[in-house]
């Protein structure tokens, strides 16, 4: 194994040359290559962080109980027991040894942080999730240097009913005290969790499984079954639909699961096909516990050839780019609302693309109709004139009205705007002709707007921030570059794209566009490389920095660039000690790979 004396040399040689030594295990070598392609730093541990851990509470509680029981055998041992969800995000961690726990904190191996392979490189959690097999990674088999002091054994945990991956059980200890029994013990605990899930499978899950199997027996096409915690999909769905289409289908089912009556939905798939979903609820007594969807796929008459990555061929909404489940779900919900004539409130952070998405749906669905955009933030300049514009629009020709920044509507206008919208809403629903969309920031709440304006809209759709949609960042970058520089012969390197995809983007799409505009001001032709990105993009931490911290981060980044990455010279230039600059590089998550 590579954690022998040859291990560190084999890893260093690979990082320097990209050539794998024959002593490197296949599972490790393949992971190193994936880590390199993903742009993972070999010197920094920089996992993303997501604080919301409330999903699948019943399952997480069950896992926690099993781990607590099994942890009794670890008392006094420098071993940590960890459970991560299918994305690699750490949900639970038990570490009886407080000293060892502090070592784990230094590498952010803690609840909320994501240890997926494309985030921190080769490790027991991420690699086991990706390969779907129990995996032991020891010492220098880790891709990232700060993890080389550890050994981690990850064992995938599957749902005994659906067979779906529910997470990974990982045991981590110091590399010098590990042995093969670590993986054996991890597999044993994973099996205990699966047994516990099976023992607590509810009547509702068994009923849903029965309905799903009955549908599959007579199916000639894809079948999906969903509940709050389970997604099942037959082999026809996996054979006939690629990943992007399957994701879009699951997203489309959100509007039906839980409904009391059967219904039919239509979904426009990324590949260009159209899916008809016939929903039948699964009930236990009077409670709906899930549902089964029989799917019919209608191929378009001139469908483009499929590729290994259908997202590259997937038709986009005009003027926007994105293929993530979160973005696809918001788009599908907004498209359905347009077709039904239901009014929508779009909620999300500033710059996330709410207005662009609403405009794109209008252009895609009703390009010949009238479109008007009113900005409530400008109403304070002349409230009477703004309200007259609203009045004129509500009695004008059929079409779409987008009211931006409805949360910034002056207090003096709230009551009159509410009355006028309610009056027009009743008329539009009786004879759908005018579609109204309003946008609001998720971080601001105005009591008057919430109580009087929001009830004028039939539904609220949330648009997730860009930091939760890294796949969309990768899709948006080339689209934005084409828009910003349509006549230039410019490309962007994979390493630069990966770096941008890991950035938190507190300003969302607006900030990304501004950064690319600055890059283009200095880069006229050729390929945009890591060195061409501004200093702010070389930090990937999720914490919002103060203006002073941002200045310090940029100064350190620029000093590292000026001195070829030499931390000692950069520290001397800035008048700080080596220890201080190392601490601040880590604290600001500055990428030093230029």
């Amino acid at each position: 194994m590579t954690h022998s004396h040859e291990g560190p040399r084999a890893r260093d040689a690979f990082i320097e040359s990209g050539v794998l030594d024959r002593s490197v295990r296949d599972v490790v070598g393949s992971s190193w290559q994936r880590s390199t392609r993903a742009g993972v730093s070999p010197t920094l541990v920089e996992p993303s962080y997501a604080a919301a851990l409330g999903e699948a509470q019943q399952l997480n509680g069950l896992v926690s109980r099993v781990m607590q029981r099994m942890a009794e055998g670890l008392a006094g041992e420098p071993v940590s027991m960890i459970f991560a969800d299918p994305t690699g995000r750490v949900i639970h961690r038990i570490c009886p040894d407080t000293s060892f726990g502090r070592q784990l904190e230094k590498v952010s191996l803690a609840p909320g942080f994501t240890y997926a392979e494309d985030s921190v490189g080769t490790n027991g959690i991420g690699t086991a999730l990706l390969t779907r097999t129990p995996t032991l990674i020891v010492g220098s088999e880790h891709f990232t240097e700060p993890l080389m002091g550890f050994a981690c054994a990850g064992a995938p945990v599957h749902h005994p009913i659906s067979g779906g991956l529910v997470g990974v059980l990982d045991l981590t200890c110091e590399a010098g005290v590990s042995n093969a029994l670590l993986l054996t013990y991890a597999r044993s605990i994973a099996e205990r969790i699966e047994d516990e899930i099976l023992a607590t499978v509810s009547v509702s899950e068994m009923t849903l499984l029965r309905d799903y199997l009955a549908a599959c027996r007579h199916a000639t096409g894809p079948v999906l079954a969903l509940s709050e915690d389970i997604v099942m999909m037959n082999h026809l769905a996996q054979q006939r639909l690629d990943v992007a289409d399957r994701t879009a289908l699951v997203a489309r089912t959100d509007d039906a699961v839980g409904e009391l009556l059967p219904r039919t939905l239509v979904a426009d798939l990324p590949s260009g096909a159209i899916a008809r979903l016939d929903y039948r609820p699964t009930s236990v007594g009077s409670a709906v516990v899930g549902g089964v969807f029989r799917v019919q796929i209608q191929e378009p008459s001139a469908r483009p050839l499929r590729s290994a990555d259908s997202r590259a061929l997937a038709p986009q909404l005009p003027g926007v780019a994105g293929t993530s489940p979160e973005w696809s779900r918001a788009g599908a919900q907004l498209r359905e609302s347009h077709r039904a004539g239901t009014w929508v409130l779009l909620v999300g952070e500033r710059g996330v693309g709410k207005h662009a998405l609403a405009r794109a749906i209008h252009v895609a669905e009703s390009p010949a109709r009238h479109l008007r955009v009113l900005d409530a933030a400008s109403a304070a300049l002349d409230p009477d004139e703004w309200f007259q514009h609203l009045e004129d629009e509500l009695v004008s020709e059929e079409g779409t009205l987008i009211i931006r920044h409805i949360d910034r509507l002056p207090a003096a206008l709230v009551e009159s705007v509410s009355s006028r919208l309610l009056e027009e809403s009743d008329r539009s629903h009786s004879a759908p002709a005018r579609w109204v969309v309003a946008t609001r920031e998720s971080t601001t709440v105005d009591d008057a707007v919430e109580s009087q304006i929001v009830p004028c809209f039939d539904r609220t759709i949330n648009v997730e921030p860009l930091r939760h949609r890294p796949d969309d960042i990768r899709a948006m970058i080339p689209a934005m570059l084409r828009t910003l520089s349509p006549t230039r012969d410019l490309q962007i390197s994979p390493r630069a794209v990966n770096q941008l995809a890991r950035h938190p983007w507190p300003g969302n799409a607006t900030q990304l566009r501004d950064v690319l505009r600055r890059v283009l001001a200095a880069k006229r032709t050729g390929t945009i490389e890591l060195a061409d990105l501004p200093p702010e993009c070389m930090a990937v931490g999720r914490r919002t920095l103060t203006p002073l911290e941002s200045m310090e981060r940029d100064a350190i980044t620029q000093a590292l660039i000026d001195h070829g990455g030499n931390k000692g010279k950069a520290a001397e230039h800035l008048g700080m000690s080596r220890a201080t600059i190392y601490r601040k590089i880590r604290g600001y998550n500055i990428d030093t790979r230029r």
Side-chain angles (χ1 to χ4, degrees):
M1 287 188 178
T2 61
H3 51 274
S4 65
H5 295 300
E6 294 298 322
R9 286 197 289 269
R11 175 190 170 276
D12 293 345
F14 172 78
I15 291 173
E16 284 289 329
S17 66
V19 178
L20 285 169
D21 188 275
R22 285 185 295 178
S23 64
V24 179
R25 292 191 292 149
D26 289 344
V27 65
V28 174
S30 297
S31 178
W32 286 356
Q33 292 171 331
R34 290 192 298 268
S35 301
T36 300
R37 289 194 296 270
V40 177
S41 169
T43 59
L44 295 174
V45 176
E46 43 193 18
S48 60
Y49 179 80
L53 301 177
E55 303 93 332
Q57 293 182 357
Q58 181 179 2
L59 173 64
N60 289 338
L62 179 152
V63 170
S64 178
R65 291 192 297 273
V66 174
M67 290 175 63
Q68 291 288 350
R69 290 199 302 267
M70 301 302 293
E72 296 175 2
L74 300 179
E77 297 292 334
V79 178
S80 177
M81 187 185 304
I82 296 163
F83 181 79
D85 69 13
T87 70
R89 185 181 60 178
V90 176
I91 305 297
H92 301 295
R93 190 190 75 183
I94 298 176
C95 187
D97 188 303
T98 56
S99 176
F100 185 60
R102 286 193 292 271
Q103 294 183 49
L104 299 179
E105 293 292 335
K106 291 180 180 179
V107 294
S108 301
L109 187 46
F113 288 94
T114 298
Y115 256 63
E117 197 178 75
D118 61 1
S119 179
V120 298
T122 309
N123 72 94
I125 294 173
T127 305
L129 283 172
L130 196 147
T131 62
R132 297 293 200 269
T133 57
T135 304
L136 175 65
I137 303 296
V138 181
S140 58
E141 291 185 327
H142 289 91
F143 182 80
T144 305
E145 185 176 348
L147 299 181
M148 289 171 58
F150 301 98
C152 46
V157 178
H158 295 89
H159 195 285
I161 296 297
S162 67
L165 185 69
V166 298
V168 61
L169 190 286
D170 173 84
L171 295 179
T172 295
C173 66
E174 293 182 348
V177 298
S178 70
N179 58 53
L181 291 178
L182 194 70
L183 184 59
T184 300
Y185 195 38
R187 295 175 68 173
S188 174
I189 300 172
E191 290 171 359
R192 293 285 187 94
I193 294 173
E194 291 174 352
D195 290 343
E196 191 79 7
I197 295 174
L198 183 60
T200 57
V201 165
S202 64
V203 173
S204 62
E205 289 173 316
M206 293 301 296
T207 304
L208 179 62
L209 176 64
R210 180 201 63 199
D211 290 352
Y212 167 70
L213 293 176
C216 288
R217 278 196 294 270
H218 306 288
T220 58
V223 176
L224 286 73
L226 297 95
S227 68
E228 183 178 353
D229 297 317
I230 292 177
V231 175
M232 292 181 281
M233 193 176 298
N234 69 348
H235 73 282
L236 291 174
Q238 300 177 48
Q239 287 177 351
R240 298 184 184 180
L241 302 172
D242 54 33
V243 174
D245 281 0
R246 294 200 299 267
T247 300
L249 269 185
V250 173
R252 188 69 179 88
T253 62
D254 283 353
D255 292 331
V257 172
E259 292 288 328
L260 293 171
L261 299 175
R263 59 181 300 189
T264 298
L265 305 174
V266 176
D268 294 313
L269 303 183
S271 63
I274 299 174
R276 175 190 173 96
L277 294 83
D278 291 321
Y279 164 75
R280 296 293 182 272
T282 291
S283 302
V284 175
S286 60
V288 176
V289 297
V292 176
F293 295 82
R294 294 174 173 84
V295 183
Q296 295 178 340
I297 305 297
Q298 178 182 347
E299 303 288 343
S301 57
R303 179 172 181 171
L305 294 175
R306 286 180 177 260
S307 70
D309 185 359
S310 68
R311 290 175 299 180
L313 298 177
Q316 297 290 331
L317 287 169
V320 297
T323 58
S324 70
E326 295 85 359
W327 182 258
S328 298
R329 183 182 303 114
Q333 292 172 344
L334 195 59
R335 188 189 294 268
E336 180 190 15
S337 294
H338 182 281
R339 292 175 177 176
T342 53
W343 290 13
V344 179
L345 178 65
L346 285 177
V347 178
E349 294 179 4
R350 180 179 300 183
V352 80
K354 303 181 292 293
H355 170 227
L357 182 60
R359 181 184 287 271
I361 291 295
H362 167 83
V363 173
E365 293 291 311
S366 54
R369 284 191 173 186
H370 172 70
L371 170 66
R372 178 69 182 273
V373 180
L374 293 178
D375 193 338
S378 65
L381 299 175
D382 191 334
D384 292 338
E385 182 181 12
W386 191 92
F387 186 75
Q388 186 58 52
H389 285 319
L390 178 66
E391 282 276 16
D392 294 343
E393 184 58 35
L394 293 177
V395 297
S396 67
E397 59 183 295
E398 300 176 354
T400 298
L401 169 63
I402 301 175
I403 306 176
R404 302 185 67 187
H405 309 121
I406 195 70
D407 47 314
R408 301 188 209 174
L409 190 69
L413 282 179
V414 169
E415 185 174 351
S416 54
V417 169
S418 172
S419 298
R420 190 65 187 88
L421 287 178
L422 284 173
E423 178 184 348
E424 182 60 30
S425 174
D426 291 339
R427 181 160 42 250
S428 292
H429 288 165
S430 62
R434 182 172 291 100
W435 188 49
V436 180
V437 180
T439 70
R440 173 174 75 78
E441 286 188 33
S442 55
T443 54
T444 59
V445 176
D446 181 277
D447 290 340
V449 171
E450 290 296 309
S451 61
Q452 298 185 61
I453 300 293
V454 172
C456 300
F457 296 88
D458 302 290
R459 70 184 300 185
T460 298
I461 297 175
N462 291 297
V463 183
E464 292 291 328
L466 203 54
R467 62 183 173 274
H468 296 167
R469 304 185 279 120
D471 286 346
D472 288 349
I473 298 175
R474 300 175 193 277
M476 291 166 68
I477 290 170
M480 286 182 175
L481 288 176
R482 287 192 298 271
T483 301
L484 294 171
S485 59
T487 61
R488 294 194 211 172
D489 183 18
L490 261 176
Q491 297 180 341
I492 184 166
S493 72
R495 292 184 68 195
V497 171
N498 288 333
Q499 182 65 29
L500 293 173
R502 294 203 305 275
H503 191 70
W505 300 112
N508 292 294
T510 300
Q511 183 188 6
L512 175 60
R513 185 180 294 104
D514 290 343
V515 164
L516 293 176
R517 187 179 288 113
R518 276 184 280 147
V519 170
L520 291 174
K523 187 81 172 182
R524 312 301 296 180
T525 59
T527 300
I528 299 170
E529 302 287 357
L530 270 178
D532 298 313
L533 302 181
E536 68 188 75
C537 296
M538 304 312 292
V540 294
R542 300 304 189 198
R543 179 171 66 91
T544 301
L545 302 182
T546 66
L548 185 61
E549 288 175 326
S550 296
M551 292 174 61
E552 183 178 54
R553 175 203 62 196
D554 291 352
I556 293 172
T557 303
Q558 192 60 53
L560 289 167
I561 295 170
D562 293 342
H563 295 282
N566 188 307
K567 300 178 182 66
K569 291 182 178 179
E572 183 180 353
H573 173 78
L574 295 168
M576 61 177 62
S577 68
R578 289 175 63 91
T580 298
I581 197 170
Y582 272 91
R583 175 170 56 82
K584 290 187 177 294
I585 287 172
R586 176 171 179 77
Y588 291 136
N589 287 297
I590 296 173
D591 194 318
T592 60
R593 295 171 294 163
R594 290 184 184 235

